[in-house]
Amino acid sequence: MTSRIRRREFIAGLGAGLVAAPAIVRAEGQPVVIRAGALKLIHSIAPYFYEQFVPAGYKVEVLPFETPTECKNAVVTKSVDFGAFGIAAALLGAAAGEPVVVIASTCNRGMAIIARKDSGIASIKDLKGKRVAVFPGTTQEVFFLERLRMEGMTIRDVEPVRVSFSEMHIALSRGDIDAYVGAEPGPGVSLSSGVGSLVEYPYSTAMGSLNMVFGTHRDVIAEKPDLVRVMIGIHQRATDYAATNKDAMVAMASSKLGQKKEAIEASVPNVELTWRLGPKEIEESKIYADHMLALKQIKRIPDFATFIDTSFVDAVKPT
């Protein structure tokens, strides 16, 4: 499919039903540049398909970030117009009074607790006294703490080690840690290489499989609603394309993340790309916020009436 065909298809039914906004061009006929932040994780692979669905008059630049907080901060400082990051980073920002607004989903699932193979660790309880890599301020941390609580344990029962997602597999391979609470494709790399074994996918909590969201600055919504509609259309179509074309998703993730095809293929079943944002996601986000408050990670619950805005995804009509 050529870029021209995709653009014509996009305009014909922007965002599968959104009213097409007029293309606004900069001086001298230059396109409007939309800056979108993405993480170096397979959860955030949809942005790398954006260029295939950009309407005439626009251009999307994808900027990669190492951590969810960095991407969220880029949205808050307006270094990017939109960004994909974990719900934890979004809640941390909103609870602190930052003008970040969640306008769509990005990915559910994508988490895993992985132990070093032959370590004898087969369950959460087996992690007692072990060195476990956990990255603070992430969605994975909150899920892990809740799973510990459900098993009658606390973080004091393990030896937490601060390691970034991209370094967890390496740390496990070296023997620096006994297990990690990671984000794909790290778990896929550990499993496909034989270095790690699966402890569990931590989706048995009341938070379900909630993970990554898509957000923007409050000013962007107030001042450039047409731009938000265009971006939601791009995000929706790119996400649906990646989710339904697994070979393309694997090829793109392998290229952008620098991982072997086998590792990415092992990660894909644990990744649910989605743009939909509705009552279920809002309820899970509220439960998540309650957990963060109880853990004293935030000092107050954000105002969900302004923190999550579903109006843009609500305007997307089914194909």
Side-chain angles (χ1 to χ4, degrees):
M1 184 182 292
T2 66
S3 177
R4 180 177 298 176
I5 291 174
R6 285 200 172 104
R7 285 174 176 158
R8 183 165 62 243
E9 183 183 281
F10 182 96
I11 292 296
L14 183 64
L18 292 177
V19 177
I24 305 170
V25 296
R26 297 183 184 276
E28 301 179 1
Q30 295 300 309
V32 173
V33 177
I34 303 174
R35 299 159 300 172
L39 300 186
K40 297 176 183 178
L41 301 170
I42 195 171
H43 316 55
S44 195
I45 204 62
Y48 294 101
F49 290 95
Y50 284 171
E51 66 178 359
Q52 300 181 26
F53 303 99
V54 178
Y58 295 88
K59 177 182 178 181
V60 175
E61 293 182 353
V62 177
L63 288 77
F65 292 88
E66 181 70 26
T67 70
T69 300
E70 289 174 347
C71 191
K72 182 269 299 179
N73 288 345
V75 166
V76 172
T77 60
K78 300 183 180 179
S79 299
V80 297
D81 303 298
F82 303 91
F85 37 81
I87 184 64
L91 282 165
L92 284 167
E98 295 176 348
V100 59
V101 182
V102 172
I103 57 174
S105 292
T106 295
C107 177
N108 293 326
R109 298 175 63 85
M111 298 175 270
I113 300 174
I114 302 292
R116 188 174 175 83
K117 193 172 183 180
D118 302 324
S119 64
I121 300 172
S123 68
I124 295 290
K125 288 185 179 296
D126 293 333
L127 293 172
K128 189 168 184 177
K130 302 297 185 180
R131 296 163 299 170
V132 183
V134 185
F135 196 77
T138 62
T139 304
Q140 285 76 4
E141 180 190 33
V142 175
F143 272 78
F144 181 53
L145 293 175
E146 176 60 8
R147 284 296 294 119
L148 288 174
R149 187 199 66 78
M150 291 168 67
E151 298 294 335
M153 300 168 65
T154 72
I155 194 64
R156 290 185 292 275
D157 288 309
V158 304
E159 183 182 334
V161 183
R162 182 188 177 104
V163 181
S164 66
F165 291 136
S166 62
E167 296 292 322
M168 288 182 177
H169 167 71
I170 297 172
L172 191 72
S173 300
R174 288 195 303 250
D176 296 343
I177 55 176
D178 301 303
Y180 67 76
V181 185
E184 299 289 3
V189 174
S190 295
L191 295 175
S192 65
S193 65
V195 169
S197 61
L198 178 67
V199 177
E200 71 168 54
Y201 294 123
Y203 309 135
S204 61
T205 78
M207 296 174 285
S209 59
L210 182 70
N211 195 339
M212 284 187 66
V213 294
F214 192 69
T216 190
H217 194 289
R218 190 174 299 137
D219 289 349
V220 175
I221 294 175
E223 300 168 7
K224 303 176 183 178
D226 285 347
L227 186 69
V228 180
R229 294 186 186 98
V230 169
M231 187 68 249
I232 287 295
I234 297 170
H235 180 64
Q236 176 254 320
R237 293 172 75 83
T239 300
D240 283 349
Y241 177 81
T244 55
N245 291 271
K246 299 299 184 182
D247 289 345
M249 178 182 172
V250 169
M252 183 68 79
S254 181
S255 171
K256 296 299 181 181
L257 303 178
Q259 299 291 350
K260 293 181 179 179
K261 181 180 178 182
E262 294 77 13
I264 298 299
E265 288 176 335
S267 300
V268 168
N270 188 32
V271 174
E272 180 190 0
L273 298 182
T274 180
W275 53 271
R276 291 173 175 81
L277 184 67
K280 176 177 177 290
E281 289 76 21
I282 293 175
E283 181 59 28
E284 289 175 344
S285 297
K286 288 180 177 179
I287 294 172
Y288 195 101
D290 288 339
H291 282 303
M292 293 184 76
L293 184 65
L295 294 168
K296 298 182 179 179
Q297 294 178 328
I298 56 177
K299 294 182 178 180
R300 65 182 180 88
I301 298 293
D303 179 3
F304 274 81
T306 56
F307 170 53
I308 297 181
D309 184 344
T310 67
S311 64
F312 296 98
V313 295
D314 288 344
V316 178
K317 297 178 181 178
T319 54

